[in-house]
Amino acid sequence: MDLLVYGIGELATPVGREPKGGAGQGELTLVRDAYVLVQDGRIAEVGEGRWPRFAGPTLDAEGRTVTPGLVDPHTHAVFAGNRVQEFLARAKGERYTGGGILTTVQAVREAPEGELVRLARPRLMRVLELGTTTVEIKSGYGLTLEAELKLLRAIRRLGEELPLTVVPTFLGAHAFPPEIPREEYIRRVVEEMIPTVAGDGLARFCDVFCDQGFYTVVEARTILRAARAAGLGVKVHADELSGVGAAELAAELAATSAEHLLHVSEEGIASLARSGTIAVLLPATAFLLDEPYPPARKLIGAGVPVALGTDFNPGSSPVASLPLILSLAVLRMGMSPAEALVAATLNAAAAIGLANEVGSLEPGKQADLVVWDAASYEEIPYWIGQNLGQAVVARGRVVWRSSPTPSST
Ligand code: NIG
Ligand code: FE
């Protein structure tokens, strides 16, 4: 896949292969009058001024802004059914406690693998159209060995079929299945599910919902230690509904990421800073559940690298748009547009173990980029709820273009 993208008015990208914390969180390189040359699906050159003669396919950015393809490091985007009734109940003031997860579990158990793929395909194409070229997807709506494997196989098929880079995470410890005792389910997660998932290479990470009413810190520790021993990376759904010390656990385990953190404690923040764990913040859940936003400024102040994601799922966040997440981060969490863009590119890539591959526009990385109908990257969070995307390039191929405005004649 070779391509020349030229006529770039502003190219905005973080640089490097490591997550950026503290002052680095807002470090973007801006190149005016830029071009990007792609060879074999990877970036060969990011240049300024006159672009080289090129015989292959070209894409004219017409003076617009180009950023790396966005990276969504936390979704539950493969599921069956929907929870519109729960959404409406919440709109009337009912509180979210996570109970609705079992509604989706029921629908997923009833759906064959092919149906899960068929349902997720258009959903993930919308994710792509909104500028996301890499997405992490968690299982966790099966809660039996068979149904969790079905979800992970569907996730794998979607990654093979769609022009998205997909990172699968095993979240068997999402809720408790109603049909067996809690201890028995944890035993199965540890002794049956983790070895099978890891053995079949169906997931790169293991995650646990460590929160009030879900897995305790002690239970999460047991599960995540087993996951690490089986060769999986470690993530934690931490302190989303209440502060239970899950961030401290993530730090103790030197987890790759602690995610949500709406109710993280001061000690939790300090321990994440010490362990180098990335904070994956998901402001759509705060917006939808009417909860406090996660403390991005405190985390950045403590030097914790912050990433942003959608948490795309049918319950707490039916949100596919990372640009909308950037708007919430800037408007409600005090992040600058530069900090938010680094959070949704390089830091998000690091949070899913892909900082060597994606998350910035520099030679050697996968050629994933977005042309935005904007004069500067700062407009991406500004035009709220709109898709400024003009073209999406994944692995050096133009995989989506906005359709031209219909003419009036
Ligand atoms: O990230 N926190 C746990 N899981 C999801 C919610 C999933 C659901 O409501 O279906 C979350 O918010
Ligand atoms: Fe989640």
Side-chain angles (χ1 to χ4, degrees), residues 74-76 138 171 174 207 237 240 259-260 282 285 311-313 316:
H74 180 138
T75 82
H76 312 247
K138 301 175 196 289
L171 178 61
H174 189 195
D207 189 350
H237 261 73
E240 175 187 6
E259 323 207 338
H260 284 290
L282 309 156
T285 56
D311 197 20
F312 191 12
N313 75 71
S316 62

Side-chain angles (χ1 to χ4, degrees), residues 22 95 138 169 185 187 192 200 229 275 337 351 369 379 401:
R95 235 179 134 248
K138 301 175 196 289
T169 293
Y185 184 64
R187 189 196 65 74
E192 295 167 14
D200 292 353
S275 66
L369 60 84
E379 290 182 42
R401 294 191 86 138

